[in-house]
Amino acid sequence: MNSAPVRPTDARPADRIPAVCPESHSLQVDPASHGTSHMRNWVCGHLRRWGMERLTADLQLIATELATNAVRHGLPPVRATLSLSLRTESVRVAVTDAGPSFDPEPVIASWEHSAGDACHGRGLMLVAALSTAWGVDRLDLGQRVWAELAP
């Protein structure tokens, strides 16, 4: 994906602009550091520009959890994408990697049986608790784990 924002005026003449025009930005995640500091600043900057600062703390945590999981359990390249939907007034963060896809159901089931003492899967538990929706998409090569937040 292009790191420059997609603006309606760049895409087509004004008379053909759809009512829903998401704005998206991508970031290559550095596997050595998981890119957490850089990612937090990246998220904060875009939310500020979009006037959605109130989502900053939750979205920074979600983005870094997803990126950390992708680096630890997936394969490079790891890329984060942050998207604003004008239609739903929500923000989505998605992290893709080239590793094998996973089934989230066993992870979710472990939350119910662990009574909070599980060593694994707690990052996704935080993602689920903080987001309005989240999921895993299988791709031809790899997977995309995403979460949405609405103000």
Side-chain angles (χ1 to χ4, degrees), residues 6-22:
V6 176
R7 291 185 170 69
T9 55
D10 296 339
R12 60 188 69 188
D15 62 333
R16 295 176 45 204
I17 297 172
V20 178
C21 187

Side-chain angles (χ1 to χ4, degrees), residues 48-121:
R48 188 178 313 114
R49 278 189 285 287
W50 295 337
M52 300 183 110
E53 294 93 339
R54 63 194 167 280
L55 300 179
T56 300
D58 290 347
L59 200 60
Q60 284 177 325
L61 179 58
I62 289 169
T64 55
E65 287 295 336
L66 296 180
T68 298
N69 283 348
V71 168
R72 284 187 183 157
H73 305 293
L75 296 172
V78 175
R79 177 167 293 282
T81 303
L82 192 62
S83 303
L84 170 66
S85 172
L86 299 176
R87 181 179 57 83
T88 61
E89 296 182 357
S90 64
V91 177
R92 176 182 279 211
V93 62
V95 177
T96 59
D97 70 78
S101 187
F102 77 101
D103 180 1
E105 292 304 318
V107 175
I108 294 168
S110 74
W111 301 341
E112 298 168 8
H113 302 294
S114 69
D117 60 356
C119 293
H120 302 287

